[in-house]
Each structure stands twice: as structure tokens, then as C-alpha cells.
């Protein structure tokens, strides 16, 4: 997760200030457009990820939460 605070606008809706970068495509996302996902690697290790909706559903980017087409 990459938190940003440089006043960029959200790349998805363009309406709100972005607060974080998508872990897939790197686009700035506002709090309305970010989607959290948790990747667990067994042995109790969980890695929180933030994605835009496109990356969230992309199996290539998000193998844990994406949909196979
Ligand atoms: Zn947005
Ligand atoms: Zn993305």
C-alpha cells in the first residue's frame, strides 16, 4: 500500500482527492474508489492490498480475489 498526500485527484472518479495508489496499476485513488483486499500467504502472514475496481477483478493482478474469465 502506498499512501499519498500530494493533492492529486482520483484517477477513477476525478471528483475527490486521491489518498492512496492502486497496488496494481499505480493510479491514484480516493477513499470511495479504493478497494481493500487481504492476501494471506499461509502461516498467518496477511498482506493488505489496495486496488482500483479494474485491478481488483483482474486475475493477473489479483490472483486471490480476481475472477477467472
Ligand atoms: Zn475516486
Ligand atoms: Zn488499478
Amino acid at each position: 500500500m502506498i499512501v499519498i498526500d500530494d493533492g492529486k485527484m482520483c484517477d477513477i472518479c476525478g471528483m475527490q482527492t486521491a489518498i492512496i495508489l492502486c497496488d496494481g496499476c499505480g493510479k491514484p485513488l480516493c477513499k470511495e474508489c479504493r478497494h481493500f483486499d487481504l492476501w494471506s500467504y499461509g502461516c498467518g502472514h496477511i498482506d493488505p492490498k489496495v486496488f482500483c475496481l479494474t485491478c481488483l477483478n483482474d486475475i493477473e493482478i489479483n490472483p486471490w480475489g480476481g475472477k477467472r474469465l
Side-chain angles (χ1 to χ4, degrees):
M1 288 200 303
I2 304 166
V3 176
I4 55 168
D5 185 19
D6 58 4
K8 266 201 196 101
M9 296 307 278
C10 171
D11 212 54
I12 304 301
C13 65
M15 303 289 286
Q16 298 198 60
T17 307
I19 53 166
I20 204 154
L21 297 183
C22 173
D23 277 324
C25 61
K27 284 181 182 171
L29 307 173
C30 72
K31 63 181 188 308
E32 301 296 328
C33 300
R34 74 183 160 170
H35 297 269
F36 280 107
D37 205 4
L38 295 175
W39 289 11
S40 75
Y41 296 103
C43 29
H45 181 77
I46 293 178
D47 195 10
K49 295 279 183 182
V50 171
F51 294 114
C52 66
L53 192 58
T54 306
C55 294
L56 184 77
N57 290 323
D58 190 330
I59 194 77
E60 298 289 329
I61 294 169
N62 182 11
W64 275 263
K67 299 179 181 73
R68 283 184 197 283
L69 298 172

